[in-house]
Amino acid sequence: MNPSRIGRYEILRPLGKGAMGVVYLARDPQIDRTLALKTVRFDGPSQSFSVSEAKARFRKEAKISGRLQHPNIVPIFDAGEEDGRRYVVTEHVHGARTLSAYCRSGSLLPIDQVVSILYKCAKALHYAHSRGVVHRDIKPSNILLTQDGDVRIVDFGIALVAD
């Protein structure tokens, strides 16, 4: 069963489920904006690290994402915890699909579009690297392609930060 509210955010519906949690379409009633709200689950059969490590990774992702401001990186707007449930609130990229959707025979993208996607990803990763952040989990499911062909990189959960 889906929660109806997390923090101040109204939960509208699930958008997807990952190894560590669920991403919901949410609404911020204070500014009447739809957002993506990512929760994290700190237990489960596939959990390969301790609860404290999982919580640390989640805090780290929020901090890392919060300090990156680039048009090809999904921005973070808020992070918090309620009733032991941690969450991060990001831009909801309406109608976006992960690149995984385009990695199958019959749904491959034209080469000029692939080159454009690679260029935008390289620019975003260069930006992150110049700020001491290495994503470490770039894969098709962590790259969103918007309806107008733009790119957004998501999920800095296992990123490395140079101090």
Side-chain angles (χ1 to χ4, degrees), residues 13 15 25 34-36 74 91-99 101-102 113 143-152:
R13 66 180 167 86
L15 290 173
L25 179 64
T34 56
L35 307 155
V74 169
E91 170 190 26
H92 172 246
V93 186
H94 179 74
R97 297 177 70 188
T98 70
L99 283 187
Y102 305 100
Q113 191 173 3
I143 300 170
L144 298 177
L145 187 60
T146 68
Q147 289 180 324
D148 63 354
D150 210 359
V151 171
R152 300 284 193 291

Side-chain angles (χ1 to χ4, degrees), residues 6-9 11 22 24 36-40 42 58 62 76 78-90:
I6 298 175
R8 74 173 194 243
Y9 304 99
I11 302 303
V22 180
Y24 296 100
L37 187 145
K38 177 183 176 180
T39 62
V40 75
F42 296 120
F58 194 75
I76 183 172
D78 191 15
E81 182 176 359
E82 181 179 79
D83 299 327
R85 181 186 333 196
R86 293 182 186 265
Y87 62 89
V88 112
V89 180
T90 66

Side-chain angles (χ1 to χ4, degrees), residues 9-80:
Y9 304 99
E10 299 169 359
I11 302 303
L12 303 175
R13 66 180 167 86
L15 290 173
K17 192 172 188 175
M20 287 181 61
V22 180
V23 179
Y24 296 100
L25 179 64
R27 181 179 162 277
D28 183 342
Q30 290 184 4
I31 57 175
D32 194 26
R33 174 170 62 175
T34 56
L35 307 155
L37 187 145
K38 177 183 176 180
T39 62
V40 75
R41 187 179 67 241
F42 296 120
D43 58 356
S46 64
Q47 194 79 1
S48 61
F49 35 85
S50 72
V51 171
S52 62
E53 287 174 311
K55 287 181 179 183
R57 284 175 66 170
F58 194 75
R59 279 192 303 275
K60 183 171 139 185
E61 178 182 2
K63 281 184 177 182
I64 290 169
S65 298
R67 67 194 239 197
L68 297 177
Q69 296 177 2
H70 188 276
N72 299 117
I73 296 174
V74 169
I76 183 172
F77 299 132
D78 191 15

